[in-house]
Amino acid sequence: MAQFFAMGGYARFVWPAYGVAALVLVGLLAHSLIGYRRAQRALDAEERR
Amino acid sequence: MQRFANPARFMRLSAMLLPWSAIAAAVLIAIGFYGALFIAPPDYQQGEAVKIMYVHVPSAWLASLVYAVMAVASAVALIWRHPLAHIAAESAAPIGACFTFVCLATGSLWGEPMWGTWWVWDARLTSVLVLFFLYIGFIALANAFDDRTRGSRAAAILAIVGVVNLPIIKFSVDWWNTLHQKASVFRMGGPTIATSMLWPLLVIAAGFLFLFAVLLMLRMRTALLRAKLRALRFGT
């Protein structure tokens, strides 16, 4: 297991690369979902008036 | 084409496609990264640093592909003046910018151990940086005018002009001497990369493609809901 995480000595390059990719793509997905829910709620409120 | 570009029809169609695309994206990305991290062998020259390829290369493919989608949508928007096409282009832009950023950041993290530098101003790296700025310029321009249609039109023209950058990115490694390696998957004569490394790469790329579809549909739906909200509030 420790050997896996060491990535043959390249851990300090491999894991940040995976981290950046995950952070940016998951962040974008979260941002898109939150914006969608917000627009849905605002439209529901407007239509109830 | 016109039939499918009807906003109401798009809302119905995307509601149907969204959950399946999300499942496909999650499954493909999970299988792909399992293969990349636990099955694919280390490279005979690069050792385990080659694991960076599995995030870098699919992001790079998507960076160019999303731009092509954005440019085609922009052309459709300008020629047929279809509002859904502007919405598609403007929804694609931030997604493309994110994939390009991931490509640049992971490339930098791969460059340092393999080339001994985080960055060089060579043809491939510079043309991808230009791609990133094209996305940023598109987003800025689309939102720069009080009159939304003027902004959308200006941004669409920028997107179409920027298409010249796509072949420059693709062929930069053949036309100029660069530190970046040449194509090893999409090349004449077929891939030169070992199958054990190729399949996780292609599965992750397919997963990223579905992720793009999910993000695009979500953002387009959001834009349509907001347009409806504006129409209700201001009667325009």
Side-chain angles (χ1 to χ4, degrees):
Chain A
M1 204 61 185
Q3 199 192 356
F4 171 74
F5 284 109
M7 276 291 150
Y10 292 114
R12 69 196 182 93
F13 300 106
V14 172
W15 298 122
Y18 277 70
V20 168
L23 204 72
V24 171
L25 296 178
V26 172
L28 180 65
L29 184 63
H31 176 261
S32 306
L33 277 171
I34 291 166
Y36 183 58
R37 295 271 148 79
R38 200 170 285 165
Q40 251 178 341
R41 265 201 306 272
L43 193 61
D44 284 346
E46 192 71 25
E47 278 172 340
R48 264 199 305 274
R49 285 206 312 175
Chain B
M1 188 67 204
Q2 289 281 332
R3 233 157 37 87
F4 290 106
N6 174 310
R9 194 179 288 263
F10 171 80
M11 288 303 271
R12 260 178 310 178
L13 196 68
S14 59
M16 216 166 61
L17 292 174
L18 252 174
W20 296 107
S21 306
I23 291 168
V27 169
L28 288 167
I29 289 172
I31 294 173
F33 278 113
Y34 180 80
L37 289 171
F38 300 106
I39 299 173
D43 185 71
Y44 80 107
Q45 282 181 322
Q46 304 189 23
E48 300 289 1
V50 77
K51 299 289 188 225
I52 296 173
M53 173 182 73
Y54 301 102
V55 278
H56 175 73
V57 173
S59 314
W61 287 341
L62 265 290
S64 281
L65 184 94
V66 174
Y67 194 91
V69 170
M70 188 177 94
V72 169
S74 294
V76 170
L78 284 183
I79 297 165
W80 287 288
R81 306 242 160 157
H82 205 291
L84 200 58
H86 274 308
I87 286 176
E90 279 159 40
S91 303
I95 309 171
C98 283
F99 277 120
T100 311
F101 180 81
V102 170
C103 170
L104 288 166
T106 55
S108 192
L109 283 159
W110 202 4
E112 173 62 17
M114 291 300 111
W115 301 339
T117 180
W118 301 99
W119 182 262
V120 276
W121 291 101
D122 81 358
R124 173 55 74 84
L125 280 69
T126 307
S127 56
V128 175
L129 188 65
V130 168
L131 182 73
F132 183 66
F133 289 141
L134 279 169
Y135 279 123
I136 302 298
F138 179 94
I139 295 166
L141 207 50
N143 297 298
F145 296 86
D146 289 330
D147 177 6
R148 293 186 70 86
T149 47
R150 273 186 69 196
S152 295
R153 221 165 279 167
I157 292 168
L158 174 70
I160 293 165
V161 173
V163 164
V164 294
N165 193 38
L166 292 184
I168 295 178
I169 292 173
K170 168 71 184 161
F171 296 111
S172 55
V173 286
D174 302 317
W175 292 342
W176 291 281
N177 280 317
T178 132
L179 269 185
H180 198 283
Q181 70 163 77
K182 293 191 193 312
S184 50
V185 179
F186 295 121
R187 60 185 285 282
M188 302 276 279
T192 52
I193 174 175
T195 317
S196 56
M197 290 178 173
L198 183 61
W199 78 259
L201 188 63
L202 293 178
V203 171
I204 293 166
F208 276 19
L209 196 61
F210 276 103
L211 177 63
F212 166 55
V214 167
L215 290 166
L216 184 66
M217 285 190 278
L218 258 181
R219 299 186 82 91
M220 285 178 69
R221 290 176 67 86
T222 307
L224 283 170
L225 291 181
R226 285 197 186 129
K228 197 172 167 190
L229 191 63
R230 270 196 306 274
L232 278 176
R233 276 186 186 154
F234 309 113
T236 48

